[in-house]
Amino acid sequence: MVRTRFAPSPTGYLHIGGLRTALYAYLFAKKNNGKFILRIEDTDLERYVPGAVEIICRTLKDAGLTYDEGPDVGGDCGPYMQSERKDLYMKYAKQLIDSGDAYYCFCTKERLEQLHKDGAVKYDKHCMHIPREEAEKRIAAGEKYVIRQNIPEQGSDTYTDLVFGDITVDYKELEDNILIKSDGMPTYNFANVIDDYLMGIDYVIRGIEYLSSTPKYNLLYRALGWRLPKYIHLQPIMRDERHKLSKRYGDASYEDFIKKGYLKEAIVNYIALLGWSGKNDTEKFTLAQLEEAFDLEGLSKSPSVFDENKMRWLNSLYIRELDEETFHKMALPFYEKTERLKGYDLRFLSSLLHSRCEVLTDVDRLTVFLDEFDGYDLTLFENKKWKTDGDFALKIIPALKEALKAEDLHAALEKVADNGGYKKGQVLWVFRIAITGNAVTPGGATEMAKLLGRDKCMERLCESEKRLQAR
């Protein structure tokens, strides 16, 4: 059975790049009737952020990426928090020391810094030659130490990545990385190998930054007599042509986009396209469709640029597919944050905005005309298509005020056009500008009048007339 994992560090919100890695691991497992596992790599205590584990679990579940095993759901291979597996790692580290594939290192921070100042690009194996008996005496005496991997000084490793093909790396390019830190906790480089094997992970899906360092993991697998997993490395997501999308620079998380009014289905759909493409140029996928369509052949060997405009477009497709009741319920929290909407018929507003929103926060942008009517650019009355201007508007506003009193406003406005020998579009244009002060509104003239109400429309017609007279 295929088993994949997502193994984030709890250092804050779940970044879009991390969510994509989780999504691909989830999709690959589901496509192959396998299991998707969540493991929290919390061995770096200095970077741990309280509450981050809860954010990760909540985000995956909300996005629909239900994990079969994890810290809050359990499983046969737990614990799923690396900090709870500390004793396990030391056992295997000592096994590597016994086989000569690792060694105790007592180098001080000052020595390592001096080594770097002297131009060394990696650790010089200084402590590898300390006899085992001497090393154990120093440890017993309380001297601080770490355990380092013993990388061969000659030779190379070739492995196959399922996206990039055969990868060869010379051992001389690799450093004797630390496996166990001075606080007794494992590093990522070590813990992920131990846990991936013990949890039965047979497909490791992760970022391309690990492509060239994978041979050092392979050395650990072989030294412990374990079968290597298959590797799938992913190109980064870029925020532009030169810069990676990065948590460090505050690039958006899943929850940020939810707050900006994106639907979770659209977020997941768009993230899937950042490094993978389906057949026949299809771009819109439900999660169930992604589970069926996902394949390794569609993974890109090139980085993808995050294009929020495209995500907005994709989100608009999902919004328009909602029935009106669902759209209204989803829009309500955004209405409640918009002070100007208090007192208006929000259900009617939803009927106007439903087909015009790309993201739910558009309710703010699309309703600015409801702000206090304190003046607007009178040149808006100038419309070449309808051959209108301020003089024309001033001439017909008295008739518009009379039409507003009618039961059937649309018929009354048509009558204004007929009686004056005008085109209907001329009358409707002037009426809409006069009551909203905006050329772009989420509905036509009579819809805006219904939303505003008769009294407010009359106030605004009178104010527009006054301003036109005072030009």
Side-chain angles (χ1 to χ4, degrees), residues 88-267:
L88 193 66
Y89 307 119
M90 184 60 79
K91 166 189 168 184
Y92 290 104
K94 288 183 176 179
Q95 185 176 327
L96 291 169
I97 288 175
D98 290 340
S99 65
D101 294 289
Y103 57 91
Y104 295 111
C105 176
F106 301 91
C107 288
T108 62
K109 179 182 178 183
E110 290 73 23
R111 182 183 185 277
L112 296 174
E113 288 176 350
Q114 187 60 50
L115 198 65
H116 180 69
K117 287 178 183 176
D118 292 342
V121 294
K122 62 181 182 177
Y123 183 65
D124 61 357
K125 290 183 178 287
H126 176 75
C127 291
M128 188 186 75
H129 307 292
I130 297 173
R132 176 75 174 271
E133 186 177 344
E134 179 188 336
E136 290 177 348
K137 283 181 181 179
R138 292 171 69 170
I139 292 170
E143 191 170 344
K144 281 193 171 184
Y145 71 95
V146 299
I147 297 177
R148 288 183 181 272
Q149 183 177 4
N150 184 13
I151 303 287
E153 296 184 79
Q154 302 294 328
S156 64
D157 179 69
T158 298
Y159 72 97
T160 300
D161 179 85
L162 297 182
V163 177
F164 294 94
D166 288 347
I167 306 294
T168 299
V169 178
D170 288 335
Y171 289 138
K172 65 184 179 182
E173 296 178 10
L174 304 176
E175 183 172 11
D176 286 4
N177 289 115
I178 294 172
L179 304 181
I180 300 291
K181 297 178 287 187
S182 59
D183 61 2
M185 294 296 282
T187 59
Y188 166 84
N189 294 317
F190 187 45
N192 87 88
V193 169
I194 305 302
D195 289 340
D196 282 346
Y197 176 76
L198 296 180
M199 293 183 178
I201 305 302
D202 47 8
Y203 286 86
V204 173
I205 301 175
R206 61 189 177 201
I208 198 172
E209 61 269 25
Y210 296 106
L211 191 70
S212 61
S213 59
T214 291
K216 67 187 176 188
Y217 307 132
N218 291 343
L219 284 169
L220 293 173
Y221 278 106
R222 294 190 187 106
L224 293 167
W226 295 343
R227 176 178 55 84
L228 273 63
K230 295 179 175 64
Y231 295 106
I232 300 168
H233 287 92
L234 309 173
Q235 283 281 14
I237 302 173
M238 312 292 286
R239 57 188 170 100
D240 55 42
E241 290 184 358
R242 297 177 57 192
H243 302 95
K244 285 173 62 176
L245 203 65
S246 170
K247 183 189 294 188
R248 180 178 300 175
Y249 297 106
D251 290 318
S253 70
Y254 171 85
E255 291 190 340
D256 287 333
F257 285 116
I258 292 293
K259 289 174 184 174
K260 288 170 74 172
Y262 287 88
L263 306 192
K264 58 187 178 183
E265 296 85 356
I267 299 172

